[in-house]
Each structure stands twice: as C-alpha cells, then as structure tokens.
Amino acid sequence: NAGVTQTPKFRILKIGQSMTLQCTQDMNHNYMYWYRQDPGMGLKLIYYSVGAGITDKGEVPNGYNVSRSTTEDFPLRLELAAPSQTSVYFCASSYSIWTHLTNYEQYFGPGTRLTVT
Amino acid sequence: DAKTTQPNSMESNEEEPVHLPCNHSTISGTDYIHWYRQLPSQGPEYVIHGLTSNVNNRMASLAIAEDRKSSTLILHRATLRDAAVYYCILMASGGGADGLTFGKGTHLIIQP
C-alpha cells in the first residue's frame, strides 16, 4: 500500500491565484482530514470527511473548500490565495466504526509546502 | 476538548530510556490517550494509544496513571532516529470524526 499520498510536494502561488491540493489514500479508510501546520506550531484541522459525499468544517476552514466524491480522494481547494495561507498542509485518513467504542490511528501524508507571495 | 500539557523540550542520550510526560487533569472517562510523533519535514506518525491499562508495542510503551490524569510515553532505548516532536492527544471514545487537536508537543533531542 502507498498509504496517503499528496501532490504537489511544493508550490509557490501569487496572491489571488487558486489551486487544488490533491490527497489520495488506498487503505479504504472512511475518514479523511486536512490539516495545516504553521512554523513551530501543532497542526490545525481545516476540513474533514466521514465518508464519500460528506464533509464538515474544522477549526480553520475560511479560505478553503473540499469535496469527497470517492472514498479514496479528498482534494483541498484554495480559491483566492492569501499570504496567511502560507503553511505546510497535511492530509490524513483513518478508519472508524461508530458503533464500536474504540479508537483508530490516523495515517498522514508527507505534506505539501505552500508559499503565497 | 480536554487539554494536555507537555514540556516544550527534553534531551536524552542515545541508547538510554526516555520518559516523556503528559498531564491531562481534565480527561473524561471515555477519552483515549494518543501519542503521535513528527520527524523533521515529515507528517505526524502514530506511536501508541491507550485507555486505562499500560500498553506496549514495537515502538514504545505507554504508562497511564491510575487516576488517568497523567501518562508517560517510554522509549526504551532511544536512537538518533527518535529525535522528533512528540504530541500527547486526547480522543473521545469512538470518535475521531472531528480530527486530532495538536498542541505544541515536546521536542525530543537525542545526543549521540
């Protein structure tokens, strides 16, 4: 298994440009997440999805959009890039069963380093 | 979400055990204790998790206090590859839909 893959690895955007960060997982996980990590800080949740067709906002969703048309893919869209969106973006996935009182670990991709100038 | 408190940084020598503490005094009865680590320029990596009993796996051990208000991640024999930021995170039972809440973690420095 490749696990969680993200493209691109690096990107420089000009203010006002748009782009899509791609995320794919091959573990048949139902949950997927997008986080951002600013320098010296922990990760913050942008959006998450509990299954195909279902998405919800996390802690810092402003300026981003997501879609989940398949189990495998969870792209993150930046419509009007701003310098405040300069960060490292991580996609993650996990498997969860609502009826089971247990926890499952999240698997993270290698990240996309985005600079907006 | 219940919060965790960790030291900003810790230093240890290679091939010695490392004990990384975490305080979570407001933990609820159904919260699991998770540990992740992040190596330089990589995404976070799951290490271990537990609820009440101590847990062991191939990477580490997790010791949970009887009152569950604190826990300790134990690396039995640190190597240079264990130098990373270690995050202690609480997750509700059956949860995970709303993601993990990361603090700043503990920056572990391993001296050769």
Side-chain angles (χ1 to χ4, degrees):
Chain A
N1 286 348
V4 179
T5 56
Q6 293 182 238
T7 57
K9 286 187 168 55
F10 304 93
R11 184 72 185 268
I12 298 175
L13 281 183
K14 294 190 186 305
I15 294 171
Q17 286 185 320
S18 61
M19 76 164 293
T20 300
L21 282 68
Q22 302 291 345
C23 174
T24 300
Q25 54 92 9
D26 62 358
M27 297 172 283
N28 202 32
H29 286 169
N30 50 350
Y31 287 11
M32 294 188 74
Y33 313 83
W34 274 105
Y35 295 88
R36 61 175 284 174
Q37 185 174 34
D38 298 330
M41 305 296 287
L43 283 69
K44 292 188 177 180
L45 185 67
I46 306 171
Y47 270 95
Y48 65 94
S49 168
V50 299
I54 306 170
T55 63
D56 210 343
K57 295 177 180 179
E59 183 183 356
V60 290
N62 291 344
Y64 307 95
N65 279 301
V66 294
S67 59
R68 183 101 180 266
S69 57
T70 67
T71 299
E72 295 78 20
D73 300 306
F74 190 40
L76 177 72
R77 179 85 178 159
L78 282 72
E79 290 295 348
L80 289 170
S84 61
Q85 294 178 304
T86 294
S87 190
V88 181
Y89 291 83
F90 291 102
C91 179
S93 71
S94 69
Y95 178 66
S96 185
I97 305 174
W98 280 107
T99 57
H100 285 57
L101 293 178
T102 186
N103 264 197
Y104 296 95
E105 61 265 34
Q106 290 190 15
Y107 294 80
F108 286 80
T112 294
R113 187 175 296 275
L114 176 67
T115 301
V116 182
T117 62
Chain B
D1 289 335
K3 288 189 174 181
T4 63
T5 304
Q6 300 177 252
N8 288 334
S9 66
M10 290 183 64
E11 199 166 312
S12 183
N13 295 320
E14 198 176 9
E15 299 188 4
E16 290 185 357
V18 178
H19 291 234
L20 295 163
C22 181
N23 287 321
H24 29 77
S25 58
T26 59
I27 190 171
S28 76
T30 56
D31 283 343
Y32 279 76
I33 302 158
H34 281 241
W35 284 82
Y36 283 75
R37 72 179 185 180
Q38 187 173 20
L39 279 63
S41 300
Q42 294 189 27
E45 173 188 33
Y46 167 81
V47 177
I48 199 166
H49 77 275
L51 184 62
T52 56
S53 304
N54 294 344
V55 184
N56 300 296
N57 66 20
R58 63 174 181 81
M59 289 181 72
S61 295
L62 176 59
I64 301 173
E66 197 169 333
D67 63 6
R68 300 206 333 122
K69 292 183 186 296
S70 66
S71 61
T72 302
L73 178 71
I74 302 165
L75 307 179
H76 294 287
R77 198 162 164 267
T79 69
L80 295 177
R81 292 184 67 252
D82 291 320
V85 178
Y86 286 78
Y87 298 97
C88 170
I89 300 169
L90 302 182
M91 184 186 289
S93 172
D98 52 353
L100 298 170
T101 300
F102 286 81
K104 289 190 177 182
T106 296
H107 184 199
L108 177 63
I109 299 164
I110 304 295
Q111 298 288 356

